[in-house]
Amino acid sequence: MKYTHDNPLRVMTLCSGYDSQCLALERLKQDFPEFDYELVAWSEFDPETPNVPLERQPAVVAHNALFPQWADRNLGDMTKIDWSKVPPIDLLFYSTPCQSVSQAGLQHGFTEGSGTRSSIIWNVRDALKTLKPKYACLENVAAMVSSKFLPMFNLWQSEVEKLGYKNFAQILNAKNYGVPQNRERIFLFSIRDDGDDPQYFFPEPFELTTKLADVLEDEVDLKYYLNPVKVNQFVKDNMLMIEKYTRESDEEIKPLPEEMRKFMEEYPDEEFEIVSINVSKA
């Protein structure tokens, strides 16, 4: 089936955030002018600020700033959605919370019924069962398929297969696809098996030709800088790596902008010791 202006790809996103998935679809529209899609429904809700009106929650505000045409289609808390009332869709994105599996979190896991943030993935089962989209795509941190959580991930795959889907899973790293960032994520792409033995192939990596400096702005308001105490601690913790990179690369570590240096000097000396980097490439 070809998704065009007359027959757009009907999409729903869960735990939408600002909806990077739709940003990707917007880029697809630029590359293929005949292609089109419609965000039929989306779900974003912050359980930590339940008393804040939905439309004022930060992630919802960000989403509506990017996609104001679909502001009224937010279904809120995905655990309370009546899936029978959701319009038909072709593609379901579900980037459910990673806090309970991420290496930066407590790693309480996502066992069904455990009540962890990440365990709401099991609510997606009802969405797949009722909506029966042709495609579904999970994206999450690579820790979801670590040795600790791989059995649970495989159990989830098994549940999806029972609903009539064929799964394709792979870890992709952003640095292999044009983004100057070392960012691994697990993708699980599921295609409804209508008896035609569906196949899917993940994109092949390609050479990275950009660096972080190529995408950063030259002038940035100081309010966007990280706390210099935290930055300085990061430098101290990663000194050996930074020195090694400096020796082996053609990059020069530039001095701090004068405004940033003044900003750092406002902090009491006892809070941190400024770390200097002076590495010879000889």
Side-chain angles (χ1 to χ4, degrees), residues 100-153:
S100 309
V101 295
S102 173
Q103 293 179 347
L106 297 177
Q107 293 198 316
H108 287 158
F110 57 104
T111 302
E112 184 174 9
S114 62
T116 67
R117 291 286 293 274
S118 299
S119 67
I120 67 171
I121 188 175
W122 297 96
N123 292 88
V124 178
R125 178 174 50 200
D126 292 332
L128 294 174
K129 186 183 301 184
T130 303
L131 299 174
K132 296 181 174 62
K134 178 64 177 177
Y135 313 99
C137 182
L138 170 150
E139 174 269 338
N140 216 302
V141 294
M144 183 173 253
V145 290
S146 64
S147 58
K148 181 175 183 179
F149 298 121
L150 183 58
M152 188 59 58
F153 180 79

Side-chain angles (χ1 to χ4, degrees), residues 234-235 237-248:
F234 174 83
V235 173
D237 292 344
N238 294 275
M239 181 61 71
L240 293 178
M241 181 185 69
I242 294 172
E243 289 179 351
K244 182 176 184 292
Y245 173 81
T246 306
R247 289 194 184 94
E248 296 178 353

Side-chain angles (χ1 to χ4, degrees), residues 135-257:
Y135 313 99
C137 182
L138 170 150
E139 174 269 338
N140 216 302
V141 294
M144 183 173 253
V145 290
S146 64
S147 58
K148 181 175 183 179
F149 298 121
L150 183 58
M152 188 59 58
F153 180 79
N154 288 337
L155 181 59
W156 170 250
Q157 285 199 89
S158 177
E159 288 296 306
V160 175
E161 290 174 358
K162 290 177 183 177
L163 295 174
Y165 289 85
K166 187 172 181 180
N167 293 320
F168 304 87
Q170 187 168 316
I171 293 178
L172 304 180
N173 195 320
K175 69 179 183 180
N176 295 325
Y177 300 96
V179 180
Q181 182 183 23
N182 184 28
R183 186 182 181 88
E184 288 188 329
R185 291 294 183 269
I186 177 66
F187 286 83
L188 175 65
F189 193 69
S190 307
I191 304 177
R192 193 180 67 221
D193 190 350
D194 297 328
D196 51 355
D197 190 25
Q199 298 297 318
Y200 180 78
F201 302 94
F202 286 95
E204 292 292 331
F206 54 85
E207 183 181 0
L208 181 64
T209 58
T210 59
K211 298 178 180 179
L212 186 59
D214 297 327
V215 297
L216 294 178
E217 298 177 1
D218 293 329
E219 300 293 334
V220 181
D221 193 297
L222 287 178
K223 68 182 180 181
Y224 295 112
Y225 279 90
L226 293 173
N227 182 319
V229 177
K230 301 293 186 183
V231 173
N232 195 72
Q233 187 61 49
F234 174 83
V235 173
K236 290 172 65 177
D237 292 344
N238 294 275
M239 181 61 71
L240 293 178
M241 181 185 69
I242 294 172
E243 289 179 351
K244 182 176 184 292
Y245 173 81
T246 306
R247 289 194 184 94
E248 296 178 353
S249 73
D250 294 328
E251 295 294 315
E252 295 286 351
I253 296 182
K254 299 179 180 179
L256 285 172

